């Protein structure tokens, strides 16, 4: 897999330019006095172990010639080097998901991401045994990865192992945005599961708010998010006070599960605003 090395003006050509013909190189221009640099450094080092790229770390105070040659005006400044060609990456601290997106644009993929893709495929096909096996293998090799923790917690909710899911989610701290936001959304799934267990048999009350809410919750837990959002939105339109504005709050949970960039999130956020105002 990848590696992390210290680079100076003397070895830049060999360690960065020449290496880039074998695998991509991420050049991290940093300074010891730079706070964001110290935050970004462990993230890049972690990703270098996960992905197949070389992390070349250059202290601009020790190597001012390189900083001047490549027009470094602020740090951290990360550049991408592929086949000898140096391209701009980003300046400043970025959240981990955004850094991963940039790596994806370089056609880099980690074994962990391959494993998560395999888990999604196994869940979609309904292969419970394969899903459990894949989770077990990944957790052994990546026990601290937040994406894996969130995926495992969501799977545990689907299996009604709510206490185990809560234990996993407790690992993610509030400072770990946006992972904490997603953890809160999975906690919302746990709440939905418990609410559903307390609702009476509503077949005889088809069309009631309780019946409609139960249908929306079931759709959410089945990951049929469009049906869920349609049903929650209808409740918002009928009675904002129902379950202390519970339908609107439920829609926020679904938005967080889907993410801000999902087309359903964008569409139903607009519809929710129109319904409320």
């Amino acid at each position: 897999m990848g590696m992390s090395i210290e680079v100076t003006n003397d070895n830049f050509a060999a360690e960065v330019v020449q290496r880039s013909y074998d695998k991509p190189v991420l050049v991290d221009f940093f300074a010891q006095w730079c706070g964001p640099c110290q935050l970004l450094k462990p993230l890049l080092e972690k990703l270098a172990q996960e992905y197949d790229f070389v992390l070349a770390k250059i202290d601009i105070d020790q190597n001012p010639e390189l900083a001047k040659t490549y027009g470094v005006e602020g740090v951290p400044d990360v550049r991408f080097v592929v086949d000898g060609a140096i391209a701009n990456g980003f300046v400043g601290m970025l959240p981990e998901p955004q850094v991963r997106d940039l790596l994806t644009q370089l056609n880099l993929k980690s074994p962990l991401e391959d494993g998560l893709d395999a888990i999604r495929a196994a869940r979609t096909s309904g292969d419970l045994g394969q899903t459990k096996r894949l989770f077990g293998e990944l957790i052994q090799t990546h026990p601290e990865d937040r994406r894996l923790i969130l995926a495992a917690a969501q799977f545990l909710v689907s299996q009604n192992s709510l206490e185990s899911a809560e234990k996993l989610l407790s690992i993610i701290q509030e400072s770990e945005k946006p992972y904490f936001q997603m953890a809160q959304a999975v906690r919302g799934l746990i709440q939905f599961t418990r609410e559903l267990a307390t609702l009476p048999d509503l077949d005889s009350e088809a069309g009631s708010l309780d019946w409609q809410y139960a249908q929306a919750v079931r759709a959410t837990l089945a990951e049929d998010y469009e049906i869920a959002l349609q049903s929650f939105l209808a409740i918002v339109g009928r009675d904002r006070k129902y379950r202390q504005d519970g339908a609107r709050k439920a829609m926020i949970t679904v938005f967080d599960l889907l993410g801000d960039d999902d087309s359903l999130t964008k569409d139903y956020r607009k519809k929710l605003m129109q319904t409320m105002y």
Side-chain angles (χ1 to χ4, degrees):
M1 295 305 294
M3 60 186 297
S4 177
I5 57 177
E6 301 287 343
V7 171
T8 66
N9 188 63
D10 293 335
N11 65 359
F12 182 87
E15 298 292 355
V16 174
V17 178
Q18 291 302 317
R19 278 185 183 271
S20 73
Y21 288 96
D22 296 324
K23 62 180 60 179
V25 177
L26 265 66
V27 180
D28 175 23
F29 289 100
F30 75 96
Q32 297 293 345
W33 45 262
C34 165
C37 297
Q38 304 311 316
L39 294 174
L40 183 63
K41 178 182 176 181
L43 170 59
L44 294 180
E45 290 176 338
K46 181 185 78 170
L47 294 176
Q49 293 300 313
E50 183 181 331
Y51 292 79
D52 193 17
F53 71 83
V54 175
L55 173 63
K57 298 176 289 186
I58 301 176
D59 186 330
I60 63 168
D61 291 327
Q62 300 297 320
N63 302 277
E65 304 92 341
L66 286 174
K68 182 178 180 180
T69 298
Y70 293 102
V72 176
E73 297 180 352
V75 287
D77 185 329
V78 176
R79 310 290 177 94
F80 299 134
V81 188
V82 178
D83 293 335
I86 300 176
N88 290 334
F90 61 91
V91 178
M93 179 65 190
L94 285 184
E96 182 175 334
Q98 291 186 34
V99 178
R100 289 183 181 276
D101 287 342
L102 291 171
L103 296 178
T104 300
Q105 293 174 24
L106 288 176
N107 296 319
L108 291 172
K109 202 167 187 181
S110 73
L112 172 59
E113 289 178 326
D114 288 336
L116 289 171
D117 287 344
I119 285 171
R120 282 188 283 270
R123 289 196 65 189
T124 299
S125 68
D127 192 336
L128 184 61
Q130 175 76 341
T131 300
K132 290 181 176 180
R133 183 185 67 79
L134 290 170
F135 267 125
E137 290 176 356
L138 282 185
I139 288 172
Q140 281 188 348
T141 54
H142 304 280
E144 300 298 324
D145 187 87
R146 274 30 186 171
R147 294 170 303 158
L148 178 57
I149 288 171
L150 289 167
Q154 195 163 351
F155 173 69
L156 288 169
V157 174
S158 74
Q159 300 302 302
N160 208 34
S161 298
L162 305 185
E163 291 184 1
S164 296
E166 287 176 324
K167 185 176 180 180
L168 271 183
L169 293 173
S170 68
I171 296 172
I172 301 175
Q173 302 301 305
E174 189 171 358
S175 60
E176 298 179 81
K177 298 178 180 180
Y179 296 118
F180 185 76
Q181 181 178 350
M182 183 62 179
Q184 292 295 83
V186 179
R187 288 188 176 97
L189 292 179
I190 294 172
Q191 180 181 341
F192 285 155
T193 303
R194 287 175 172 152
E195 284 180 337
L196 196 59
T198 65
L199 291 172
D201 183 1
L202 298 172
D203 289 342
S204 62
E205 300 180 34
S208 70
L209 285 172
D210 283 343
W211 178 87
Q212 196 165 7
Y213 184 79
Q215 296 299 103
V217 167
R218 289 191 183 99
T220 304
L221 294 173
E223 299 183 15
D224 193 348
Y225 296 125
E226 185 166 13
I227 295 299
L229 288 169
Q230 288 175 355
S231 299
F232 285 132
L233 183 64
I235 296 172
V236 172
R238 289 178 63 182
D239 186 356
R240 277 289 305 278
K241 295 181 180 179
Y242 176 75
R243 286 182 173 263
Q244 299 180 321
D245 203 17
R248 182 190 64 81
K249 294 174 182 176
M251 291 184 74
I252 300 302
T253 294
V254 177
F255 295 156
D256 288 343
L257 286 168
L258 293 170
D260 292 337
D261 294 330
D262 189 274
S263 60
L264 284 176
T265 298
K266 293 177 180 179
D267 187 22
Y268 277 88
R269 271 189 175 144
K270 184 183 300 182
K271 290 180 179 180
L272 178 59
M273 293 297 291
Q274 293 170 342
T275 300
M276 290 171 59
Y277 302 107

